[in-house]
Every structure is written in C-alpha cells, then in structure tokens.
Amino acid sequence: SNSQRWLSNSPVRMNDQSKRTVRIMPQSINDITISAPPESTAYLVFNNSSRENMIQLVKTGSSVSGEKVTRKQFLNIFGESLIKKAEKEVKKLKAMKAADLKQVNLKIKSKKDLTESKQQAQLGHVVNYYRGILTGQIKSDDKTFKQLSRNFYDYLIQPTAHLFKNKTALVIVPDGILGFLPFETLMTPDGQYLAEKYRITYTQSLKILDIVNQRQYSSNRKTLLAMGGAIYDASTYKGDIVESSHQLASLDKNVTQTINRGGSLRSAY
C-alpha cells in the first residue's frame, strides 16, 4: 500500500533468523539516504516500536544494516515485575502533563493487534517510569535507575552497537514513545552513559536532516544559543528558578561536588 513498504524489496540488509518478510514504515526506507554522511557519524533509525517486532536500522557511510528486536526480547530484558511496577508508578503520576504521556490509540481487531496494543502500553509505561525517575517525579534509588538505564541500552542500543562501535557521533531517529526517551542517559555495559561515548543528536527523519544540512546561509549570519525553561517539577518550579549569580554559583558548586563524589545529578535538574 501507499503507507507501507516491504523490506524484502529494499536494499537494507536485515539480520532476521526467521527469514520472514519484515514490514516497516516507508519513512525509514525512503529517507535512509543522506548526502555525504560524515565518516565519524552513524545514523540509528527506529521503526515499529509499538508493534510486536521492532526494527532498528543503522546507516554508516554507504552501508545500511538492520536488526529485528522481538517482543520476547523486550519482556526478557525488562522483566514482568519491573514492567508491572512501572505501570503502577506511572498511574500515580496525577500531576504529570498530558504532553508527557505519549498515547496512541490502536483499533484492536485481531490477536496480533491485541499483542501490539499491549506492547505499546508496556513500552509506554517503562519509558514514562524512567522519565519520572529522571525528573524526580517518581522517587527511586540509584539501583533502580541504573537497572532501567541499562535495560533500555540492552533493548535499544545493544542489538546494533557492533555496527557503529568505531563512530564518535550518533544521530538518532526515534519512533513513537521513544521520542520521549533521553538516549544520552542510557548506560553501557562498562558503566558509561551513552553521552560519554557518542555525540548524540536527534532528527525526525534523515530526509529532514539532509534538507537542513544543505541549506545555504549568508556569510554574515550570526550564531544563536537558545535555552528554554523546561518544567521538570511543577510543584517546585518557581523555587528552582536561578535568578541571581549567587544562586548560579551555588548550583555550580553543588553539581561539581556531586560529580566529584560520583553521585546522581538528577536533583540538579
């Protein structure tokens, strides 16, 4: 159909032991080309995150490869108890803004639709649970945070990590609820955050990124640094605003001391 394309008719190499045709949305096939990609950069594209089988595509240079990640892998990595805990904690977040809870309704017509609807809901719960911990809206210890961080790495990065291990920059094209996940905070097997290994950027699609990269600007164009006032915790937002150099110096001191002792910076946000 016009809204779908079959991977078997595309030039993408897939590692799928079942040898079955894997369906993905056309954006990732049509937009997988980009003009003169930097040698140091890998492009990680996610597809079908709410479906039974998620597809991860990686573009490096002129090569495009992919991996299928199954629902069974999702359940094995996160575990039933953690998924249930995430659902319970997310439901307690009465104050969380609707924009922070990504919801897409699926029409359930078959057993497969029911499975994909459940996958979408469970993935949404663990993503929002993780976001809640990061923003301090859900109280948790460092052990749970690190476990979730590592789980997300194993689910979203590990399957294709070997394809970009020698790269220094990673452009991520998220899909669905994954657009709300801060990939920089995911923890690698050696205890590093992903942001410590790669320069991470995001884009809606590689086609959009390609268009932006090819823009022509005037020689007298000036640089711009824009910063927004993100509300991490509405109940303490006004009191958390830094309004003086003294407050900024105090924040800088606390952050530095926390880093030196290897503590968590979640409260600094």
Side-chain angles (χ1 to χ4, degrees):
S1 69
N2 292 330
S3 65
Q4 295 171 337
R5 185 166 179 173
W6 295 94
L7 192 56
S8 57
N9 295 327
S10 77
V12 180
R13 183 173 69 254
M14 288 294 300
N15 293 323
D16 182 5
Q17 300 299 324
S18 65
K19 304 301 181 184
R20 294 179 299 173
T21 301
V22 181
R23 185 182 65 192
I24 70 172
M25 299 306 291
Q27 164 185 307
S28 302
I29 298 300
N30 296 340
D31 296 355
I32 204 68
T33 57
I34 187 167
S35 303
E39 184 62 31
S40 62
T41 301
Y43 302 87
L44 177 56
V45 185
F46 293 92
N47 298 273
N48 297 353
S49 62
S50 63
R51 295 184 179 273
E52 186 174 2
N53 297 314
M54 178 174 61
I55 305 299
Q56 300 177 7
L57 300 176
V58 176
K59 178 176 178 58
T60 54
S62 60
S63 173
V64 180
S65 302
E67 291 280 354
K68 182 181 77 171
V69 183
T70 67
R71 171 167 169 75
K72 182 178 179 180
Q73 288 173 271
F74 168 77
L75 295 174
N76 288 340
I77 289 171
F78 286 93
E80 185 177 350
S81 62
L82 192 149
I83 293 173
K84 287 184 176 180
K85 182 178 181 181
E87 180 179 4
K88 180 180 178 181
E89 292 296 332
V90 167
K91 286 182 177 179
K92 291 180 180 178
L93 288 179
K94 305 265 188 190
M96 182 175 280
K97 289 186 175 182
D100 281 337
L101 291 172
K102 176 74 171 178
Q103 295 181 353
V104 180
N105 294 323
L106 286 180
K107 294 182 179 180
I108 301 175
K109 299 179 180 179
S110 65
K111 184 177 180 180
K112 181 179 179 182
D113 288 336
L114 182 61
T115 299
E116 292 180 348
S117 177
K118 190 172 184 179
Q119 167 68 16
Q120 175 179 277
Q122 290 178 331
L123 179 59
H125 289 322
V126 292
V127 168
N128 283 305
Y129 179 42
Y130 186 62
R131 282 170 54 84
I133 291 174
L134 283 172
T135 59
Q137 293 177 302
I138 294 178
K139 301 303 179 184
S140 178
D141 53 27
D142 275 353
K143 182 179 179 180
T144 301
F145 163 73
K146 289 179 179 179
Q147 178 188 356
L148 271 170
S149 178
R150 179 60 193 279
N151 286 348
F152 275 116
Y153 178 90
D154 290 344
Y155 179 56
L156 300 173
I157 304 298
Q158 186 63 44
T160 54
H162 63 283
L163 298 172
F164 49 86
K165 61 182 179 180
N166 296 322
K167 305 300 181 181
T168 58
L170 191 59
V171 178
I172 296 174
V173 186
D175 174 61
I177 189 67
L178 298 182
F180 289 77
L181 182 70
F183 282 76
E184 296 90 341
T185 65
L186 306 191
M187 189 167 292
T188 66
D190 57 6
Q192 286 186 299
Y193 291 111
L194 202 62
E196 296 181 89
K197 300 192 70 172
Y198 303 100
R199 187 176 70 256
I200 297 176
T201 54
Y202 299 86
T203 184
Q204 298 94 328
S205 76
L206 296 187
K207 178 62 71 177
I208 292 176
L209 180 62
D210 202 22
I211 292 173
V212 171
N213 288 342
Q214 293 186 59
R215 283 179 176 173
Q216 299 296 319
Y217 299 100
S218 62
S219 57
N220 61 352
R221 177 173 176 262
K222 299 184 183 298
T223 57
L224 170 68
L225 172 62
M227 303 177 67
I231 301 177
Y232 292 99
D233 188 342
S235 63
T236 62
Y237 177 67
K238 291 185 178 180
D240 290 339
I241 295 177
V242 175
E243 297 180 321
S244 68
S245 58
H246 176 73
Q247 289 175 304
L248 183 61
S250 177
L251 176 63
D252 180 64
K253 180 180 178 180
N254 290 336
V255 169
T256 301
Q257 291 176 342
T258 303
I259 292 175
N260 289 338
R261 69 171 184 268
S264 171
L265 289 174
R266 293 203 302 276
S267 60
Y269 289 98

